[in-house]
Amino acid sequence: MRLDKGQLEEIVKMVLRQQLSKECCDQPLMKEDKKIPIGISNRHVHLSGHDLEILFGGNATLTRFKDLSQPGQFACAEKVTLVGPKGVIENVRILGPTRNRTQVEISVSDCFKLGVKAPIRDSGDLSGSAGLTLVGPAGSVTVPEGCIIAARHIHMHPKEAARFNVKDGERINVQTEGARGVVFCEVMVRVSEEYNLEMHVDMDEANAASLKNGDFVKIID
């Protein structure tokens, strides 16, 4: 079928409209200057000095394996086994330096395997959290509380907080990109001179959104 000039023009216009619509849909919903890199946290343990010595022997110290993105934080060569009422997870890495209290950070999936009911908490908020047993090469420690699912959060330097117009302790919403893009709500902002810009999520959250280390999220205005 031969098309006349008017029909051809209408087809061209339709194709252009469809292409423009696709390009608009593909555009990010937020400004590029509000991108924040993602850091994915696997299960890990922060030990107190007292528990470190029980698990690894008297006068034990942590051995730096590699530095983490946040200044002064590092992954250790030392690992422990987590023991819950229903299961065990081996080779759980310790992060340094030591803290005043032992804190175990796991995912919802880990809760099912271990048989514990860890609450979603901000780091350091351990009162009434789940207990479990840690086993090291020199001994074991049962903590009555200290096991949590870490609430997703963003580390920021004060200059970045000013640029994003947010403050310490504020909770914001962010959006991921990609085929499985999601909106993470109620993300805690942590502001300190000691922080580098990065949002932390656990393995369950990362897998749900098909995220990997170095991907970006954007603040929703």
Side-chain angles (χ1 to χ4, degrees), residues 141-193:
V141 172
T142 297
V143 292
E145 58 184 18
C147 181
I148 64 172
I149 300 166
R152 47 186 175 250
H153 56 277
I154 300 173
H155 293 278
M156 287 187 188
H157 187 275
K159 291 182 179 179
E160 293 159 342
R163 178 162 61 91
F164 294 144
N165 193 29
V166 297
K167 60 182 182 295
D168 185 51
E170 185 175 351
R171 294 185 185 271
I172 62 175
N173 299 334
V174 302
Q175 180 173 327
T176 72
E177 300 176 321
R180 301 189 72 183
V182 301
V183 173
F184 287 124
C185 300
E186 295 294 304
V187 183
M188 170 70 82
V189 175
R190 294 179 176 174
V191 181
S192 170
E193 296 278 352

Side-chain angles (χ1 to χ4, degrees), residues 61-214:
T61 58
L62 295 173
T63 306
R64 188 183 298 266
F65 174 69
K66 68 175 181 179
D67 290 328
L68 301 179
S69 59
Q70 298 306 311
Q73 305 295 305
F74 56 92
C76 305
E78 291 78 17
K79 299 177 182 180
V80 295
T81 296
L82 304 182
V83 181
K86 293 185 177 179
V88 172
I89 299 179
E90 299 178 320
N91 297 316
V92 179
R93 193 173 295 280
I94 298 169
L95 302 187
T98 56
R99 296 189 176 185
N100 292 330
R101 296 182 66 186
T102 291
Q103 176 173 302
V104 180
E105 298 181 30
I106 61 176
S107 68
V108 174
S109 298
D110 294 335
C111 287
F112 290 121
K113 184 170 184 178
L114 292 169
V116 299
K117 295 182 179 179
I120 299 173
R121 295 281 184 84
D122 296 324
S123 181
D125 182 7
L126 305 181
S127 178
S129 59
L132 47 62
T133 297
L134 295 78
V135 180
S140 65
V141 172
T142 297
V143 292
E145 58 184 18
C147 181
I148 64 172
I149 300 166
R152 47 186 175 250
H153 56 277
I154 300 173
H155 293 278
M156 287 187 188
H157 187 275
K159 291 182 179 179
E160 293 159 342
R163 178 162 61 91
F164 294 144
N165 193 29
V166 297
K167 60 182 182 295
D168 185 51
E170 185 175 351
R171 294 185 185 271
I172 62 175
N173 299 334
V174 302
Q175 180 173 327
T176 72
E177 300 176 321
R180 301 189 72 183
V182 301
V183 173
F184 287 124
C185 300
E186 295 294 304
V187 183
M188 170 70 82
V189 175
R190 294 179 176 174
V191 181
S192 170
E193 296 278 352
E194 303 299 320
Y195 288 160
N196 289 328
L197 182 64
E198 190 172 58
M199 176 173 168
H200 288 173
V201 297
D202 66 24
M203 291 294 293
D204 283 356
E205 293 170 312
N207 288 337
S210 293
L211 293 171
K212 61 182 183 298
N213 284 316

Side-chain angles (χ1 to χ4, degrees), residues 208-220:
S210 293
L211 293 171
K212 61 182 183 298
N213 284 316
D215 284 346
F216 289 91
V217 299
K218 299 175 185 177
I219 296 175
I220 298 176

